[in-house]
Amino acid sequence: MASIVVFCILAVVILGSALLCVTTKRIMRAATFMLFVLFGVAGLYFLLDYTYLGAAQIAVYAGGVTMIYVFAIQLVSKQTLQGMVEKIKCSRVISGLLISVIGLATVAFVLLKNSFISTATTTEVPVQSIGEALVGSGKYQYVLPFEFTSVFLLACIIGGLVVSRRKED
């Protein structure tokens, strides 16, 4: 019973923070709300007794959000950090909602057509096989895409540093 209550609290924190993250106009508040979302997901891992995944979630993503803070301070002007005023057009809101509903309907259609929901509740995949698939180099294993992603993120960091460098007169 207690785990259900903790799950509900974490779900409210995650959903509320995610909603505030995407609706706020201030970049530092958005990064802070994203940090709350990531801590909530780590709480879910701890609730499921996946302590390693929870600790990795906190270590990796808390560090990532710290980097977002640093890049936000370096790349954005002082006026933008203090408060960006942007008027949202009604047509953009309606088109965003329409695209979201179409995306939700597509995902629901695929889930129901392929009966993922009924098979997901009957079969369990051991954590060891998931770990082997993530770091394995054989067929249907993901070490190569993981390495490509890390190289891409490194290139993004270097690009951010180049962009944030001040030009000398």
Side-chain angles (χ1 to χ4, degrees), residues 10-26:
L10 286 173
V12 168
V13 167
I14 291 170
L15 291 174
S17 297
L19 186 64
L20 289 171
C21 178
V22 298
T23 57
T24 187
K25 295 179 183 175
R26 296 180 183 228

Side-chain angles (χ1 to χ4, degrees), residues 1-16 44 47:
M1 179 67 181
S3 62
I4 294 174
V5 172
V6 172
F7 174 78
C8 290
I9 292 171
L10 286 173
V12 168
V13 167
I14 291 170
L15 291 174
L44 289 178
L47 187 64

Side-chain angles (χ1 to χ4, degrees), residues 37-57:
V37 170
L38 296 173
F39 277 134
V41 172
L44 289 178
Y45 287 141
F46 287 126
L47 187 64
L48 294 170
D49 288 332
Y50 291 140
T51 54
Y52 177 75
L53 287 177
Q57 174 85 8

Side-chain angles (χ1 to χ4, degrees), residues 20 62 68 71 105 168:
L20 289 171
I68 289 174
F71 280 110
E168 297 179 13

Side-chain angles (χ1 to χ4, degrees), residues 53-87:
L53 287 177
Q57 174 85 8
I58 290 174
V60 171
Y61 290 115
V65 171
T66 304
M67 291 303 297
I68 289 174
Y69 279 129
V70 170
F71 280 110
I73 291 170
Q74 286 184 352
L75 294 175
V76 179
S77 66
K78 185 177 180 181
Q79 291 83 15
T80 305
L81 283 176
Q82 289 176 351
M84 179 175 59
V85 177
E86 179 182 340
K87 298 192 182 207

